[in-house]
Amino acid sequence: MRLQDKKVIALVAHDFEDLELWYPILRLQEEGATVHLVGEKAGEKYIGKYGVPAVSDYAYADVKAEDYDAILVPGGWAPDKIRRFPEVLEMLRHMDHYEKPIGQICHAGWVLISADIVRGRNVTSTPGIKDDMMNAGGNWQDLPVVVDGHIVSSRRPPDLPPYMKEFADLLADS
Amino acid sequence: MRLQDKKVIALVAHDFEDLELWYPILRLQEEGATVHLVGEKAGEKYIGKYGVPAVSDYAYADVKAEDYDAILVPGGWAPDKIRRFPEVLEMLRHMDHYEKPIGQICHAGWVLISADIVRGRNVTSTPGIKDDMMNAGGNWQDLPVVVDGHIVSSRRPPDLPPYMKEFADLLADS
């Protein structure tokens, strides 16, 4: 399994988009990756916007980005909360600096905006935050998946299949 | 993409297990498969046990099993409803007779029981219906995924990664 040595952070907060959180986690596990769910608190049950639960393995403050190979940011309303934590923004800046894969879908772009890593990058997102992405300096494209170096963006749940194909391939090669 | 010529039926009814319906659909789409959601009525919005929606493409009565290469049965409470439709049981018997891949997870085994295709097969399921599976003549095994010829069984949502790896590989080779 080509991802068996890879460790990935999956950020979580309440009101995540259920499939946008879970499809990527299960998909990477299929190829052997270890994926840790990381939220404000450890051992907390977070509930998706439709109601699917997810229990965090660790708290934001307790993980070291340098121990991980990639990071996933889900959509839904969770990004509105996730972007408020300085330790999360620091994690994203670490991943960006070391060119480790960053996956973001739907409203996840808000978190990358707050980490100021959208500037000059080709990105996509839900059309709902297109203006925010462009104001943050992103070159927004209306495509199912956009890959700019180590940053993989997607728009919405039906884009999950091409999104995760690109992300898994990138992680395997990194 | 190795599944681009494959057509798959994904059975649906209310109170499906949200990830057990959607992960397999998205996973097969990633490799190019066409997956049709098939419920009692066409164009109906079905709601998962946690609340994720799914809109059917076709009604059970309107699809011909011979037009498809494989079938998926989700878990949750949906199988309790799905097993009551003779046209669904006929679909499963067709798939079984022609040795086309049949994927079933969690409580989905109830549908295979009513189609009487569990007899003599190695299978798994949620432990909750282990007795029903054994009474139907199945050789029940407590494993994340069990493959017996063209029948792929799994127990629960955390088993989705190995379940779909086996199913996708089988479909590609069929």
Side-chain angles (χ1 to χ4, degrees), chain B:
Chain B
M1 293 197 290
R2 64 180 178 156
L3 302 182
Q4 66 187 352
D5 296 326
K6 304 294 186 182
K7 284 181 66 181
V8 180
I9 291 170
L11 296 172
V12 66
H14 281 300
D15 299 305
F16 58 83
E17 208 291 337
D18 309 66
L19 299 176
E20 289 173 359
L21 180 79
W22 276 112
Y23 183 78
I25 292 171
L26 294 163
R27 181 63 185 81
L28 297 182
Q29 287 175 338
E30 182 187 318
E31 299 200 55
T34 299
V35 185
H36 289 148
L37 266 159
V38 183
E40 184 182 357
K41 298 176 187 169
E44 182 90 351
K45 184 186 281 187
Y46 294 95
I47 306 293
K49 59 185 265 197
Y50 290 115
V52 176
V55 178
S56 55
D57 298 300
Y58 297 105
Y60 297 144
D62 295 340
V63 298
K64 291 187 174 67
E66 53 264 41
D67 295 340
Y68 291 86
D69 303 294
I71 193 164
L72 292 164
V73 193
W77 301 116
D80 181 72
K81 295 293 189 295
I82 293 172
R83 71 190 304 187
R84 303 175 196 206
F85 292 86
E87 53 269 47
V88 169
L89 305 184
E90 212 39 64
M91 250 180 245
L92 279 163
R93 289 190 199 109
H94 168 96
M95 297 293 181
D96 188 49
H97 181 77
Y98 290 99
E99 301 184 350
K100 299 179 183 179
I102 297 172
Q104 61 112 354
I105 180 164
C106 204
H107 287 79
W110 280 335
V111 187
L112 279 73
I113 289 171
S114 291
D116 194 19
I117 59 171
V118 168
R119 198 170 305 281
R121 264 71 184 257
N122 297 320
V123 287
T124 193
S125 68
T126 166
I129 67 164
K130 172 183 174 180
D131 295 339
D132 301 331
M133 296 294 273
M134 290 173 62
N135 288 339
N139 175 29
W140 195 88
Q141 302 175 350
D142 191 11
L143 293 168
V145 60
V146 173
V147 183
D148 186 333
H150 56 288
I151 299 181
V152 184
S153 316
S154 210
R155 297 175 306 189
R156 51 178 78 98
D159 299 331
L160 283 165
Y163 172 54
M164 284 315 292
K165 177 166 181 14
E166 293 290 349
F167 190 85
D169 287 353
L170 186 67
L171 183 55
D173 292 341
S174 70

Side-chain angles (χ1 to χ4, degrees), chain A residues 8-61:
Chain A
V8 181
I9 291 170
L11 296 172
V12 65
H14 280 301
D15 298 305
F16 58 85
E17 209 292 335
D18 308 66
L19 300 176
E20 289 173 359
L21 180 79
W22 277 110
Y23 184 78
I25 291 171
L26 294 163
R27 182 65 185 81
L28 298 182
Q29 286 176 337
E30 182 186 318
E31 299 201 54
T34 299
V35 185
H36 289 148
L37 266 159
V38 183
E40 184 183 358
K41 297 176 188 169
E44 183 90 350
K45 184 186 283 188
Y46 294 95
I47 305 293
K49 60 185 264 198
Y50 290 115
V52 176
V55 177
S56 55
D57 298 300
Y58 297 105
Y60 297 143

Side-chain angles (χ1 to χ4, degrees), chain A residues 57-104:
Chain A
D57 298 300
Y58 297 105
Y60 297 143
D62 294 341
V63 298
K64 290 188 173 68
E66 54 263 42
D67 294 340
Y68 290 86
D69 302 294
I71 192 164
L72 291 164
V73 193
W77 300 117
D80 181 73
K81 294 294 188 296
I82 293 172
R83 71 191 303 187
R84 303 175 195 205
F85 292 85
E87 52 269 48
V88 169
L89 305 184
E90 209 41 62
M91 251 180 245
L92 278 164
R93 289 190 199 110
H94 168 95
M95 297 293 179
D96 188 49
H97 181 77
Y98 290 99
E99 300 184 351
K100 299 179 183 180
I102 297 172
Q104 60 112 354

